[in-house]
Structure formats: C-alpha cells, structure tokens
Amino acid sequence: MNLVSDLLSRIFRGALKLVLVLAAMVFVLSFLLAALVAVLVMSAWSLITGRKPAPVVMFSRMREQSRQYTQGMWPGRAPVGDVVDVDATEVGERPGAESPLQRLR
C-alpha cells in the first residue's frame, strides 16, 4: 500500500510541477506578446503622426541631462570662471522698528 501511495504522490507532484511551469511559461509569453504589440502600435502611431514615441523622447532628454551634469553644469550653480566677489555690508535696524525678541515678550 505504501508503494502505491508513494507512486501516486510522485505522479501528482510531477503533474503539479508541470502545470505550474506551463502556467509560468504562458504568463511570460503573454507578457512578451503584449509588450511586442505595444511597441508595434507605438511605432505605427509614430510613423502616422511623424513624432517620436514618448519613451524615446523621455530617454533622450534623460541622456542629454546626464551629459550636461557630467560636464559640471548643475542647475543653479555658477560656472567656476564667473565668480563675483562682493563687499559685505552690515544691515542695521530701522529706527523705531520693533525687534523680533521684543515682539515675543
């Protein structure tokens, strides 16, 4: 009896593994097919409209910005040769103005 149940359990486990592997393959292939259809539709639409597809535009912008940042042109930062030195001046309080500490009291 033990031999028969072991044989049946092995057959059942093998069949279950086979079903799961087939299901995974169907999922992966359907995902790849959906991606291929999306790429083909976007390519056809870009040919019809004459515009580049949005992902291509986005990645080209990202590539251009990475080139710009690797050259040292960070936004909001002056280039090294354009440093301007200024004289510091002390700012005094206006006559009759209330200081922030006096407002708190």
Side-chain angles (χ1 to χ4, degrees):
M1 181 80 178
N2 196 11
L3 182 63
V4 174
S5 64
D6 285 344
L7 180 65
L8 287 177
S9 66
R10 284 185 183 180
I11 291 173
F12 180 71
R13 275 188 268 145
L16 184 62
K17 286 181 185 180
L18 184 64
V19 167
L20 290 176
V21 166
L22 288 175
M25 286 177 55
V26 166
F27 175 74
V28 168
L29 289 176
S30 65
F31 186 75
L32 288 175
L33 182 66
L36 181 64
V37 168
V39 167
L40 289 176
V41 167
M42 284 177 41
S43 297
W45 184 254
S46 67
L47 287 173
I48 292 170
T49 60
R51 296 181 183 175
K52 288 183 181 178
V56 173
V57 172
M58 181 184 68
F59 285 120
S60 64
R61 285 182 187 166
M62 288 174 56
R63 192 177 325 122
E64 182 62 34
Q65 286 179 352
S66 70
R67 280 190 206 129
Q68 177 184 2
Y69 294 149
T70 55
Q71 294 172 357
M73 298 295 293
W74 290 92
R77 195 175 199 192
V80 177
D82 294 340
V83 175
V84 178
D85 196 15
V86 295
D87 293 328
T89 58
E90 193 169 323
V91 179
E93 291 185 22
R94 292 181 296 173
E98 194 176 318
S99 73
L101 291 176
Q102 290 175 344
R103 276 188 249 152
L104 293 175
R105 293 181 187 165

